[in-house]
Structures are given as C-alpha cells and as structure tokens.
Amino acid sequence: MSLPITDAQERMAVLGAMHVLDSESGPSLDRITSLAAFAFGAPVAFVSILESDKQRFISRIGLPVAETDIRMSICAHAIACRDVMVIPDLLADERFKSNPLVVASPHLRFYAGAPLVAKNGVAIGAMCIMDTRVREFSEADRAQLSTLAQLVIGQLELRNMSGRLEPVSGIPNRHQFQIDYDALAQRHSGRRMFAVLVDVFDIPRANEAGQALGMRPLEVLIRRAAVRLKLALEGLADVYHVGVTRFAFLVEFSSAAEMEALVDELRQRMTRPLMAAAVPMSPRFHAGVCAVTLGEDTSDDVIRKVLIGLHQSFEARHPFAWYSEQRDTKMRRGYRLAADAERGLRKDEFYMVYQPRYRASDLQPVSAEALLRWTHPRLGPVSPGEFIPVFERTALMQTVTPWVLDATLDQLAAWRGAGQFLALSVNLSGADLSSEDAWNRLRGKLHARSLPFDCIEIEITEGEWLRADSVAGRQIKAMAEAGIKIAIDDFGSGYSNFGYLSDLPIDTIKMDKSLIDNLETDPKAKPKVTAIINLARELGYRTVAEGVETPAQLHFLQAQGCDQIQGYLLSKPVSAEALLKVFDRALDGRGPQASSEIA
C-alpha cells in the first residue's frame, strides 16, 4: 500500500516539526507501551510512526523488527480510517494474510491500532497491540486504546515543547519559530509571506530599566508587551519570542502597503505606556520587515534578514525598515574580510604604502603617513575604509596592528641603514591604546631596531574614549614624554571635544577630508576650517589638511596658515621606493608631483 503523496508530505512535515524521529522519542514512550501490553494482556505492543516509504517502531515490546516497508504496514490502514482499527484474525483478511509478521515468526494473528493524530489533524502513526491468537476487542477496549494513543501524542508534544517556550513571556521561542517555519515551508513551498521582527525595548533602554528597577519589573514589562502583541495579531499570526526584547511573526498579505499599515498599527498599540514598579514606561518600537519565499528562504535566512532591517530602523531612527539586500551584501562581505584577514597576513596579501606630507608654505615633503593596503585573492583591492572598520569591530586589530607596526618600523630601519632619515606617521585605534602595556610593547619594537622615539608619529582618531584619565590617555602621555609625536586624526569628522586638546600632549591636528572636500561648495566649511587652524595656532599645535585634491583647496589652506598638506593633489600613496624619489626630487629643487609609481 502507498499513501497519497500530499498526505505523506504533510506527515513528514509534522514529524520534522515535532522531532518525533529523534532518538529520545522512543524511550519517553516505553512506559506507555508497557502499560498497553499489560492492560490488554498482549505479547506485542508498539508505537508505529509512518514515514514516506517505511514505518518505524519507535517504542516496542515483543516485536522482533524495528521497521518495515510502508507496503507491509498494517498501521498505514489504521491511520487512514481515523478510528481504532481492529483485525480479529489477520489470516482471514485478504489485505494482511501474506504479511511477513503473520506468515513467519512471530506468527501474529490479531491487530488493534489507534491512530496518532497531531494537533493540526495530521495522522503520523498508531498506538498498536498484536497477539498470536485470534481475539475480540470490545468498545471499552477500543476506548482504552484510543486513550493510550492520546497519551502518546501528549507525551510527544510535551517533549517537543520542552525548552521551546520563552520563560519570561511563556510564548514559543526562536527554536520553535525555526521548527514551525521549516514545517510550513515543506507544506507550502513557494508561498510568499512577510516576516517581521519587533523590538519593544531597545537593549540599552532595557539594560537601563533593569539597573533602575531590577529584573522582575523588566520581565513584567516584556511579558505585558508580549501580551499586547499577541492580542494585536490574534487570528492573523503566531508570535515568537526570539530575543530578550524581540518578537517575530509571519503574515500573509497581498501587498507591501498592507504590511506597512499593519506595522504602523502595531506601533501605535505597542507604544502606549506600561507600568513597571509604579513607574509609567513608554515602550519603544522598532521593526525589521522582509518578504520571504517559503522553501527558498531558510529559517536562519529569515531571522537574519529581519534583523538587518531592524538595525537599519535603529540607525535611521524610523519605526521600521525593510530588509536591504545591499546592506546584507556589504555586511557579509565585511565578515568575509574578517574571516580572511589572518590568512591574508600569512600569505603577504597586505602591504604598506606611504603618502607624503608637505609643508604648506613651500610644498616641500617633510614626512609621510604609513597606510595599510590589501589585495584580496578573489575580491581584488579592498579599500581601507572598508576593511579597517570591520577589523575594529572584531578582535582582528590585535593581530593587524602589531603587523603594521613591525612593517612600518622595519621600513624605517631599512631606510636608516641606507642613510635615509625619514619620519613616518602610523595609525593606532582606541583598542590598541586601551592596554596598560601598549607603550611598553611599542618601546620594545623601537629598541629592537635601534630606532629613536622621534622617528614616528602616532595618529589617533578622536572619540569618547579619548580622555586624559583613561588607560589610553596614560599610554599617550607616556609615549609623548619619551619623544613620540601625537596627532589627532580625522579631526572634525564627527565627535569633537576640545577639552582633551589641553589635557593630552598633542602635537598635531589633522583636519578630516570631509571638511576639505566641502571648501568649494559649502559656505560654512571655510569658517570651520579657519576656526580650527586659528584655534590650533593659539594652542601651539600644528595643523595638517588631509585629502587636498584641488588647487583652490590648497590656496585657501595656504592663505589661512595651515601648516602641512596631504592629498592626491600633491601625491597619492606610493611604494617605499617611490617615496624616496619624492624626497630626492625635493633635494634636487624640483617641486612635488604625483608619482607615476602608484602602489
């Protein structure tokens, strides 16, 4: 016998969702199987589960086989009738008289089976007893076997739900979402739906509330928010608690406009004040939304995509955002770069180039900045603007920074050995300096190469971490006291706190390229740049303009008294050999020019 393919597909989806075929399922049913054998005085009792091509006996007593072909299954008939099926004499039934269990050992003659029906109405198997003799089965016996079948289903569903409910909200968790989604995808492959991830309290706010009120009031807030969301989606979608303050659901609409209307309605409902420890709290609402195709997008894909949309809504300060394939590609590319970085260092894919800095008054080269470059074997040249932020978000800077320092100092030592006494700037991040031994490690590298401390300048990017009383601040002071120059890089690009300019031993302020780019187009850019140059002069700092690309920018900066110029107008980043030629031209009295030996 074979079952209709649609029935088999539905059954397999339910079996997968309930994890019935896990190795732990059978042992959890053995007591019920033993009870069935005892209650009916039967030598054989078992729980039969029907797959697409075979039946498996996941719990059995007195049965010598663990599985049979679906064509030999008596239980396949039992689940089709949807009631307790009784065969008093299998030898007398044309369908079963040649069954191997009947004609050969153990020579079974009697069968009774009650279907195992899941909550969604799909029959997945049967609770069965068999005997070696012909016997009758009363209505009371049928009712008792049916009750045992219900116990089996109850046990399977209880075991399935264990660990799949979020304790705080009491609703299904992310694991259950994945199970249900996979089952839905098997049954309705190709169907288009919308997935939504809602954050009712962003994590910083949740942490703040937990510190102020304690965890129990915070849990009450999350539980109440979950109830609100469930009520709002009643009859429309099942809700899953997939993160501390995050809930997901799937819904079917004919258009994106309908989806957006629902999200807006949810926002209005969810942001009404909630009470916690007698304090009215205003929940925040952010959501990530994406369209999914069942059978194409996996459950992991769905969670990942709505998470991308959610974080986009945070950054845009908007109640919701759609999944962006472009943002997704950029993020995955970034983490691919992170995964490949250490291998790249071993394979010499990274290398250093050097961009000269020129004195503004006569455009003579005075130093250079050491810059890291990467040629990826498959992606080609990768911009530092792309890979450096990825490294800073991970632990990779702990590996990359020592490599950059070693390469830079090795080059300085090689130049000095050849009679070339150049000075280089090298960039360090906040993470690089936030270690009590940062200066000791740098000093050790300089000593190992017999390099003087004043041959390098450390460039640090301004930020909230830059405080005189911090670990980084103490490391910077120690470096400066030894004679190392300190420069603030990207000044004016975002966070700017003039307080540290007098608290830390800074020598140079490097104005960010974004300020220089706007000199010819933004009327406010010139006053900003002029103010920075004047302030630096008053405080005794040198100013460097980065990213100078046009004569008009250069002339304005020279007129305002900027000390040094760095940018493509005068020279692109070049190789170590080409940098020496830049300085040679200066010695020969020739002016700056962009080198043709661009790295």
Side-chain angles (χ1 to χ4, degrees):
M1 175 185 181
S2 62
L3 298 178
I5 188 65
T6 52
D7 291 346
Q9 288 175 333
E10 286 192 340
R11 189 169 63 255
M12 292 306 296
V14 173
L15 293 177
M18 294 179 66
H19 286 231
V20 172
L21 300 177
D22 287 357
S23 58
E24 297 88 352
S25 295
S28 70
L29 302 174
D30 286 348
R31 290 188 178 181
I32 300 176
T33 305
S34 297
L35 177 61
F38 174 79
F40 295 107
V44 175
F46 56 88
V47 175
S48 171
I49 298 298
L50 298 179
E51 300 181 61
S52 57
D53 59 350
K54 63 184 175 183
Q55 71 171 343
R56 189 181 301 184
F57 308 118
I58 62 172
S59 176
R60 69 186 194 275
I61 290 176
L63 199 63
V65 293
E67 61 182 45
T68 66
D69 189 284
I70 193 72
R71 291 169 296 181
M72 302 298 174
S73 171
I74 304 172
C75 298
H77 294 266
I79 70 169
C81 70
R82 296 304 179 99
D83 197 0
V84 176
M85 186 178 83
V86 178
I87 311 295
D89 187 356
L90 292 165
L91 272 176
D93 193 305
E94 289 293 328
R95 296 171 297 175
F96 311 118
K97 66 180 182 180
S98 59
N99 190 288
L101 295 176
V102 176
V103 298
S105 179
H107 298 286
L108 298 172
R109 297 286 299 275
F110 172 81
Y111 172 91
L116 301 174
V117 182
K119 283 184 177 179
N120 62 358
V122 176
I124 61 173
M127 173 75 245
C128 311
I129 63 165
M130 297 186 77
D131 206 333
T132 54
R133 60 187 177 87
V134 176
R135 55 186 288 182
E136 297 297 326
F137 212 61
S138 67
E139 287 299 320
D141 291 334
R142 290 170 181 261
Q144 190 172 11
L145 186 61
S146 181
T147 298
L148 290 174
Q150 293 172 26
L151 286 177
V152 169
I153 281 290
Q155 178 63 29
L156 289 174
E157 290 177 341
L158 178 63
R159 194 190 69 84
N160 181 56
M161 289 304 295
S162 178
R164 296 177 187 169
L165 292 178
E166 185 62 37
V168 172
S169 62
I171 65 176
N173 62 15
R174 182 174 60 85
H175 185 41
Q176 190 62 50
F177 171 84
Q178 292 174 313
I179 291 170
D180 290 349
Y181 178 87
D182 291 344
L184 190 66
Q186 282 189 311
R187 296 178 65 184
H188 303 289
S189 181
R191 177 182 292 181
R192 295 278 290 175
M193 300 186 76
F194 293 102
V196 183
L197 179 65
V198 174
D199 195 320
V200 294
F201 293 97
D202 56 63
I203 295 299
R205 283 282 298 273
N207 288 336
E208 182 181 301
Q211 293 174 58
L213 304 174
M215 291 308 297
R216 292 188 65 181
L218 178 59
E219 289 176 351
V220 170
L221 284 172
I222 295 171
R223 191 156 45 244
R224 289 178 178 173
V227 170
R228 272 191 185 175
L229 191 59
K230 281 178 63 70
L231 289 174
L233 295 170
E234 193 74 44
L236 186 63
D238 294 323
V239 179
Y240 299 85
H241 195 164
V242 298
V244 177
T245 60
R246 295 173 178 176
F247 300 86
F249 62 90
L250 288 166
V251 66
E252 191 169 11
F253 282 128
S254 58
S255 70
E258 289 180 277
M259 183 69 254
E260 292 186 2
L262 174 64
V263 172
D264 187 59
E265 181 182 343
L266 290 177
R267 180 187 61 80
Q268 295 179 42
R269 292 197 188 194
M270 298 301 295
T271 53
R272 295 199 308 269
L274 288 169
M275 296 298 294
V279 177
M281 299 286 291
S282 296
R284 292 189 178 182
F285 181 94
H286 290 92
V289 187
C290 75
V292 300
T293 301
L294 301 181
E296 293 181 13
D297 295 295
T298 68
S299 55
D300 286 338
D301 288 336
V302 173
I303 292 294
R304 187 177 57 77
K305 288 181 177 181
V306 290
L307 192 59
I308 288 171
L310 178 65
H311 282 276
Q312 177 64 27
S313 78
F314 287 145
E315 292 179 12
R317 299 180 182 274
H318 194 269
F320 74 92
W322 285 88
Y323 160 77
S324 165
E325 186 173 358
Q326 181 180 6
R327 182 183 176 93
D328 188 358
T329 301
K330 181 179 178 181
M331 290 186 66
R332 286 197 282 181
R333 176 181 163 97
Y335 276 88
R336 177 179 178 179
L337 294 176
D340 291 348
E342 290 195 58
R343 187 220 65 237
L345 290 173
R346 293 194 304 270
K347 298 289 187 179
D348 296 326
E349 296 168 13
F350 288 88
Y351 60 97
M352 303 301 297
V353 293
Y354 308 90
Q355 186 170 32
R357 269 170 36 185
Y358 295 84
R359 193 164 48 234
S361 59
D362 57 6
L363 300 184
Q364 292 299 300
V366 291
S367 65
E369 180 180 0
L371 299 168
L372 182 64
R373 293 293 184 264
W374 185 8
T375 301
H376 193 281
R378 290 179 296 278
L379 302 177
V382 183
S383 166
E386 181 179 9
F387 68 75
I388 291 295
V390 172
F391 293 174
E392 290 178 340
R393 290 195 300 268
T394 64
L396 283 166
M397 290 306 293
Q398 300 171 15
T399 301
V400 174
T401 296
W403 188 94
V404 169
L405 285 172
D406 286 337
T408 301
L409 298 181
D410 285 346
Q411 185 59 68
L412 277 170
W415 281 333
R416 285 181 172 260
Q420 302 285 346
F421 297 90
L422 276 65
L424 289 178
S425 300
V426 63
N427 292 272
L428 293 184
S429 69
D432 295 327
L433 293 166
S434 297
S435 170
E436 294 286 1
D437 66 343
W439 163 230
N440 286 334
R441 285 186 279 110
L442 176 57
R443 180 170 52 191
K445 291 178 182 293
L446 288 163
H447 278 315
R449 296 166 176 84
S450 300
L451 290 171
F453 294 154
D454 62 359
C455 72
I456 63 167
E457 177 183 67
I458 298 299
E459 295 190 14
I460 53 179
T461 303
E462 59 176 348
E464 295 182 14
W465 62 274
L466 191 57
R467 303 187 312 274
D469 60 350
S470 65
V471 172
R474 292 192 293 273
Q475 297 301 300
I476 291 168
K477 286 181 179 179
M479 292 178 186
E481 288 171 0
I484 292 175
K485 302 299 183 184
I486 305 296
I488 299 298
D489 197 17
D490 300 334
F491 189 87
S493 61
Y495 175 89
S496 292
N497 179 2
F498 290 99
Y500 66 73
L501 294 180
S502 57
D503 296 335
L504 289 171
I506 294 164
D507 299 286
T508 301
I509 292 176
K510 298 189 71 175
M511 290 179 287
D512 187 65
K513 185 179 185 299
S514 62
L515 289 172
I516 310 306
D517 286 343
N518 295 327
L519 282 177
E520 297 175 67
T521 57
D522 183 359
K524 296 181 180 179
K526 288 184 177 181
K528 287 180 184 177
V529 170
T530 301
I532 293 172
I533 293 172
N534 290 335
L535 175 64
R537 184 184 302 116
E538 290 289 328
L539 295 174
Y541 302 143
R542 178 190 301 114
T543 50
V544 178
E546 292 188 287
V548 177
E549 297 181 355
T550 69
Q553 293 170 351
L554 173 62
H555 296 152
F556 174 80
L557 292 164
Q558 288 175 318
Q560 300 308 310
C562 182
D563 295 301
Q564 294 180 8
I565 305 295
Q566 182 178 342
Y568 277 28
L569 176 66
L570 302 180
S571 176
K572 296 181 179 180
V574 297
S575 67
E577 295 77 11
L579 182 66
L580 293 183
K581 293 181 180 179
V582 170
F583 281 85
D584 288 342
R585 281 196 299 271
L587 291 174
D588 293 342
R590 289 176 287 164
Q593 63 183 56
S595 172
S596 59
E597 299 174 68
I598 302 302

